[in-house]
Amino acid sequence: MKKSYSIKDLFIIVLSRLPYIVISAVICAVAMFGVSKFMIDPKYQSNVSLYVKNSNKAPDSNQSVNVNDLNVSKSLVSTYIVILNNDIVMDEISDILLSRHSEAELANDFKIVDGRITNRSLKACYNMVAANQTEVLKITATTKRAELSQELCNVMAEVAPEFLIRVVGAGSVEKIGDAKLYPNKVSPNVTKNTILGGIAGFVLSILIVFMIDFFDNTVKSTEEIQDRFNKPILGEIPHIGGKTKKKEIGKSSDRKKKLLFNDKNNEIPFSVVENYKSIRTNVTFSLSTAENKIFAVTSSLPSEGKSVTIANLAVTMAEADKKVLLIDADMRKPVQHKNFSLKNKKGLSTVLSREAVFEECVNRGVKKNLDVLTAGVIPPNPSELLASKKMREMIDKIKNEYDYILIDTPPILQMTDVIGLADIIAGVTVVLSYGNTTYQEVQEVQKKLELGNCNLMGFILNNITRGAGNSYSYSKYGRYKYGYKYKQYDMNYRTEQSEEKEEEKSESNSSSKKNKESESKKKN
């Protein structure tokens, strides 16, 4: 499926990465400033002009110059440029320079071989053009020293007339003044290069951002997920718990600070709690037509947040005065006993291996209306146990005791344990990790569930990271702002309640005073 972008999409992509783009532009500008200022040798220029005449007329001659003479002079300029770039002319200039300066002095400006300045290094210093397409030949010299540039122009002006008249045999050349010394460097232009470096960095970083987004195959858009897989999005959960290093993702410390019931310091935004309530509502509607209220939660790969999501969802469903059982069926890497700080000596594996009964293994009242059955000791055959007859017998025995039963299962692309539960559950909810799970992985998950006759209820997009500013990226590069925290909401709510109570008290006091006044009047 090819990506399509509108102007709004492109604008939002740039806006969401604007800090990085600006930083890249500044870095490139600073780098170009450093290169221009300290690494590129400064260059200085000087110039001299030669007037090309078609004939050897005396300056005091009464003969007028006609248009044909001027046109011939212009054509001679091109011929003279070719002649002056000849090696013979360069050899003559080399001899003059070596007679005036030592080789050591010229070595920094020219390449010297066998005691002579190479013609190539001399030609690189000269630039000869017809000034504004006239009969004036302008000779410019550019070197690392202003004095040397001036000298090169004057030397060329001295050598040129003799060679031109001798070779061409027609016309004449007259020098228009001497070359002057210009102490200001012509390059590099530090200001200009710095600005160009900043612009180049800005444009290049934008192109890189577009390229990364274009080739990014990870899930970031709820609309695209629905369009590709024709399944609903049951909810969206932003990243919880501040910044987390990659090496900490999936670890106990990272997991526990994302659990709503561990939020003692009120660090989790109140809107996240509302998101889980929204997921609870969507799951409830999805199960409304099912034969039972048992469903499993899985993910494509580890560290996508399924165990945290199902734990928070179980607590949220229990808070709605529903009797809920959470079963940790990930018997390879169980974590629910860590989430709820429970012992794991007895659990699901113990029940299924007939070493103990359900009543002996279940943890009652972990939270209000919530029971938890941990995974138990890790068995050698977890897939066989989940697909066993004993698993069905246990579910049949307890399903009438609970309003909802949630089962935490291993990542389906690594282990297909959830498929063994296909005939006893109403469906499977798949947790996707924003910016980590790829569309290819989601497609593989859907195929495996279809082959196993498992009902895919929908997706939960988890760990949505922050976009531009203080907002979370949502939908098609959209954003949904989160600002209120539970503590703040609670304080505001209490403040409103107290204000209402005070108003009620004042109203009751005023009404009582009025009654007393009316009674006193009647007595009088």
Side-chain angles (χ1 to χ4, degrees):
M1 187 176 183
K2 293 183 178 180
K3 289 186 178 181
S4 59
Y5 297 92
S6 65
I7 295 177
K8 182 179 178 182
D9 294 334
L10 297 177
F11 178 76
I12 293 176
I13 291 173
V14 172
L15 188 63
S16 64
R17 296 291 183 269
L18 189 59
Y20 303 102
I21 294 172
V22 172
I23 290 172
S24 299
V26 171
I27 290 174
C28 290
V30 172
M32 186 57 69
F33 173 83
V35 170
S36 301
K37 187 75 174 179
F38 305 106
M39 298 182 67
I40 299 178
D41 293 327
K43 296 294 182 67
Y44 300 88
Q45 279 186 354
S46 185
N47 61 82
V48 66
S49 297
L50 303 178
Y51 182 72
V52 178
K53 294 183 288 186
N54 182 30
S55 60
N56 295 324
K57 296 177 181 179
D60 57 348
S61 175
N62 293 326
Q63 296 178 0
S64 60
V65 179
N66 55 40
V67 176
N68 290 332
D69 290 335
L70 293 176
N71 289 334
V72 173
S73 296
K74 290 179 184 179
S75 65
L76 282 175
V77 172
S78 300
T79 305
Y80 287 174
I81 290 174
V82 175
I83 295 171
L84 293 179
N85 277 294
N86 192 271
D87 290 344
I88 299 175
V89 178
M90 296 301 162
D91 289 338
E92 180 68 20
I93 295 174
S94 174
D95 292 337
I96 295 173
L97 290 176
L98 288 171
S99 66
R100 298 177 182 179
H101 306 278
S102 64
E103 292 184 15
E105 292 177 346
L106 298 174
N108 293 328
D109 302 285
F110 305 104
K111 184 178 180 181
I112 300 177
V113 179
D114 297 332
R116 297 188 63 82
I117 301 174
T118 61
N119 294 333
R120 178 176 293 182
S121 62
L122 268 175
K123 289 179 182 179
C125 297
Y126 282 110
N127 181 42
M128 306 179 201
V129 294
N132 299 322
Q133 298 182 349
T134 63
E135 61 274 19
V136 177
L137 173 60
K138 184 177 181 180
I139 301 171
T140 304
T142 306
T143 65
K144 299 176 184 179
R145 292 183 290 156
E147 297 83 359
L148 183 60
S149 298
Q150 179 189 24
E151 185 176 4
L152 284 178
C153 289
N154 288 326
V155 170
M156 178 61 79
E158 294 173 6
V159 172
E162 180 183 352
F163 273 94
L164 294 177
I165 295 172
R166 177 164 55 84
V167 174
V168 179
S172 62
V173 178
E174 183 177 345
K175 183 173 68 171
I176 306 175
D178 295 324
K180 294 183 179 180
L181 179 67
Y182 296 99
N184 296 326
K185 62 182 180 181
V186 295
S187 69
N189 189 328
V190 178
T191 303
K192 180 180 178 181
N193 290 349
T194 301
I195 294 173
L196 291 177
I199 294 173
F202 187 82
V203 173
L204 183 62
S205 57
I206 288 178
L207 292 176
I208 292 173
V209 166
F210 287 155
M211 291 291 288
I212 291 174
D213 186 86
F214 182 80
F215 291 104
D216 186 5
N217 194 34
T218 58
V219 292
K220 290 182 178 178
S221 167
T222 55
E223 293 178 1
E224 194 167 355
I225 295 170
Q226 288 176 318
D227 292 341
R228 285 196 181 198
F229 306 105
N230 197 26
K231 291 293 180 180
I233 301 297
L234 299 176
E236 300 169 317
I237 305 170
H239 177 73
I240 304 173
K243 294 183 178 179
T244 303
K245 297 180 180 178
K246 286 187 177 181
K247 62 181 180 181
E248 295 179 355
I249 294 176
K251 290 189 176 181
S252 179
S253 59
D254 172 53
R255 182 172 57 251
K256 285 188 175 181
K257 66 184 179 183
K258 297 178 180 179
L259 297 169
L260 300 182
F261 49 86
N262 280 347
D263 187 29
K264 297 179 181 179
N265 296 324
N266 298 314
E267 294 178 352
I268 297 178
F270 170 75
S271 51
V272 175
V273 180
E274 291 301 307
N275 263 28
Y276 273 105
K277 290 181 180 179
S278 175
I279 296 173
R280 177 187 66 191
T281 302
N282 293 334
V283 170
T284 302
F285 277 117
S286 298
L287 296 174
S288 60
T289 57
E291 295 181 359
N292 58 56
K293 302 299 185 286
I294 306 168
F295 69 97
V297 175
T298 187
S299 61
S300 60
L301 295 171
S303 300
E304 291 183 334
K306 67 172 181 62
S307 296
V308 171
T309 301
I310 195 173
N312 286 335
L313 182 58
V315 172
T316 307
M317 297 180 80
E319 289 177 350
D321 290 330
K322 301 294 182 181
K323 188 65 176 175
V324 179
L325 172 65
L326 172 59
I327 300 176
D328 190 353
D330 191 349
M331 291 184 284
R332 291 177 177 83
K333 291 183 178 180
V335 296
Q336 295 302 341
H337 65 284
K338 297 179 182 179
N339 289 344
F340 293 92
S341 301
L342 303 172
K343 294 181 180 180
N344 196 34
K345 292 182 179 180
K346 292 182 180 181
L348 180 62
S349 62
T350 313
V351 176
L352 298 182
S353 61
R354 302 181 186 274
E355 294 180 8
V357 295
F358 176 80
E359 289 297 332
E360 296 175 353
C361 300
V362 67
N363 296 275
R364 300 282 186 183
V366 175
K367 300 291 177 183
K368 185 180 178 181
N369 297 323
L370 175 64
D371 296 344
V372 177
L373 179 62
T374 61
V377 294
I378 299 176
N381 57 341
S383 297
E384 289 77 6
L385 287 177
L386 286 180
S388 66
K389 182 180 179 181
K390 183 63 179 175
M391 181 68 179
R392 283 144 189 79
E393 292 175 354
M394 185 191 77
I395 295 296
D396 289 337
K397 183 179 178 181
I398 64 174
K399 65 181 180 181
N400 295 326
E401 183 181 348
Y402 297 96
D403 295 311
Y404 295 98
I405 298 177
L406 288 69
I407 305 176
D408 183 10
T409 59
I412 189 172
L413 294 186
Q414 289 191 339
M415 304 295 170
T416 56
D417 294 7
V418 67
I419 295 177
L421 303 172
D423 57 342
I424 63 173
I425 60 176
V428 179
T429 298
V430 179
V431 176
L432 310 177
S433 180
Y434 178 93
N436 292 313
T437 308
T438 64
Y439 286 104
Q440 184 179 1
E441 291 166 351
V442 180
Q443 188 175 9
E444 292 177 8
V445 168
Q446 188 178 37
K447 286 182 179 179
K448 285 196 173 186
L449 292 175
E450 289 176 354
L451 291 174
N453 293 321
C454 284
N455 173 36
L456 177 55
M457 297 168 54
F459 303 102
I460 296 175
L461 187 56
N462 182 43
N463 205 35
I464 299 176
T465 55
R466 287 182 181 271
N470 293 322
S471 55
Y472 291 99
S473 300
Y474 264 70
S475 298
K476 182 69 175 178
Y477 307 109
R479 289 177 295 281
Y480 188 88
K481 290 188 176 180
Y482 286 89
Y484 298 101
K485 292 191 176 180
Y486 185 82
K487 184 176 181 181
Q488 296 171 341
Y489 177 86
D490 188 52
M491 290 174 63
N492 294 334
Y493 177 77
R494 290 178 181 177
T495 303
E496 291 174 0
Q497 291 280 51
S498 61
E499 289 176 354
E500 289 176 359
K501 288 180 180 179
E502 288 178 359
E503 289 177 0
E504 289 175 358
K505 285 182 181 179
S506 62
E507 288 177 359
S508 62
N509 291 334
S510 62
S511 62
S512 62
K513 286 181 180 179
K514 288 181 180 178
N515 292 332
K516 288 180 180 179
E517 290 176 357
S518 62
E519 288 176 359
S520 61
K521 287 180 180 180
K522 287 180 181 179
K523 289 180 181 180
N524 294 329

